[in-house]
Amino acid sequence: MEISQLQDNVSQTRRDILRMVHKVNSGHPGGSLGCTEFMVALYNEVMELKEGFDMNGLNEDVFFLSNGHISPVFYSVLARKGYFPVEELNTFRLLNSRLQGHPTTHEGLEGIRIASGSLGQGMSVAIGTALTKKLNKDTNLVYSLHGDGELQEGQNWEAIMFASAKKIDNYIATIDFNGQQIDGSTDTVLNMGSLKAKFEAFDWDVIEIKEGNNLEAVIAGLKEAKGRTGKGKPVCVLLHTIMGHGVDFMMYTHAWHGKAPNNDQLANALGQNPETLGDY
């Protein structure tokens, strides 16, 4: 896909996020907006995907969203990719909708392979899937996304230790490194020191994408990460993003982690992100 097409997708995805959260006055726009370039690049440029959807994901790349509260960006990207009708975004967080605040599997929403939202569990699932692919002689890759604050959950570090010890080298874990979480900055809530040094100490191969909201930088970084698989180590991508990116009054603060814009704020935010692919 041409970079201009991907940029159009980014703008439209941000509109989808904002409109979904505004309609029900509920949801998590901050992290969703910050990860938009990553998710658009991953699904439209980086991953090897088959037509349609099946839960097993055989002979194709597989992605797991661990920080499930940023479901708006996930739903938008999946819908715009054709997994389910774009119009279904209109049902976000409504009763009996397949698009709940945190992704779930029981309603059979295409593109969703695990329920996520209980932070700290996605990496364990991704590693299990990567091991399964190895056992099945499936050469495709497993990707996952995690919040930096999510790494305060201890289960991650057991998984990180396991992945390197067992040479899970068909796996790329991306950390949304925005320095913010629901109660403030990650440094204030629980300073984790150098994530790069920590992952390297656990014998992972670490790549940093310094401009995580620059589409071309994200694509280049993810392709570099892909090129480092198969060499005996799991790969970690530290994706430096800005929470709320693309909406000036939502950026550089944790305030919009889980808060919906009002009518005037929505109009302002949509004015900064042109409609490109058609609103649902």
Side-chain angles (χ1 to χ4, degrees):
M1 188 178 287
E2 296 291 328
I3 196 70
S4 60
Q5 293 175 289
L6 291 170
Q7 293 285 12
D8 284 348
N9 205 312
V10 165
S11 185
Q12 190 64 54
T13 295
R14 286 204 164 99
R15 290 181 66 87
D16 291 347
I17 292 164
L18 292 160
R19 295 179 67 239
M20 276 189 276
V21 172
H22 169 264
K23 179 181 177 181
V24 291
N25 194 31
S26 179
H28 296 78
S32 295
L33 293 167
C35 286
T36 300
E37 284 85 359
F38 168 80
M39 292 294 292
V40 167
L42 188 70
Y43 269 87
N44 294 283
E45 191 66 24
V46 177
M47 284 203 301
E48 296 179 9
L49 298 167
K50 297 185 298 189
E51 290 292 320
F53 175 73
D54 69 85
M55 285 295 285
N56 290 327
L58 295 173
N59 302 310
E60 65 175 331
D61 292 345
V62 171
F63 169 75
F64 294 104
L65 177 69
S66 187
N67 49 333
H69 55 279
I70 66 166
S71 62
V73 66
F74 196 19
Y75 293 150
S76 172
V77 167
L78 288 175
R80 298 287 173 181
K81 184 69 176 174
Y83 281 87
F84 56 86
V86 172
E87 294 76 20
E88 196 168 349
L89 298 177
N90 209 32
T91 70
F92 176 66
R93 279 186 175 245
L94 297 181
L95 286 175
N96 302 316
S97 169
R98 298 197 298 171
L99 278 63
Q100 289 303 312
H102 295 84
T104 62
T105 56
H106 64 278
E107 295 292 350
L109 184 64
E110 297 85 353
I112 306 298
R113 290 190 170 90
I114 61 167
S116 57
S118 296
L119 295 176
Q121 299 179 5
M123 190 176 295
S124 298
V125 175
I127 290 169
T129 304
L131 273 172
T132 302
K133 283 191 175 292
K134 283 179 171 286
L135 290 169
N136 289 335
K137 310 299 184 197
D138 181 341
T139 59
N140 284 91
L141 300 176
V142 177
Y143 295 82
S144 62
L145 179 64
H146 312 263
D148 49 0
E150 182 183 0
L151 295 183
Q152 294 162 356
E153 294 280 1
Q155 182 174 330
N156 288 296
W157 298 98
E158 296 180 53
I160 291 163
M161 178 171 56
F162 181 91
S164 58
K166 301 301 180 183
K167 302 187 186 315
I168 311 299
D169 59 359
N170 57 338
Y171 174 44
I172 299 171
T174 297
I175 312 301
D176 177 22
F177 203 169
N178 61 27
Q180 306 289 337
Q181 59 190 104
I182 191 168
D183 289 328
S185 73
T186 53
D187 285 351
T188 300
V189 175
L190 183 60
N191 192 321
M192 292 178 286
S194 171
L195 290 181
K196 184 174 189 291
K198 281 182 166 61
F199 272 93
E200 288 178 341
F202 278 71
D203 205 25
W204 282 54
D205 192 357
V206 181
I207 294 170
E208 290 201 69
I209 301 177
K210 294 291 190 180
E211 297 180 85
N213 295 114
N214 178 318
L215 195 52
E216 291 174 298
V218 171
I219 292 168
L222 289 176
K223 289 185 175 179
E224 180 184 353
K226 193 172 181 177
R228 295 201 194 182
T229 58
K231 299 178 180 178
K233 292 186 178 185
V235 179
C236 170
V237 175
L238 296 178
L239 182 75
H240 293 261
T241 67
I242 299 170
M243 182 174 277
H245 195 272
V247 179
D248 55 11
F249 61 87
M250 292 186 177
M251 293 167 64
Y252 303 105
T253 173
H254 71 282
W256 293 92
H257 172 93
K259 183 174 72 171
N262 62 31
N263 292 344
D264 291 341
Q265 290 166 333
L266 176 68
N268 183 350
L270 292 179
Q272 298 175 48
N273 294 277
E275 181 181 355
T276 53
L277 304 179
D279 288 336
Y280 59 84

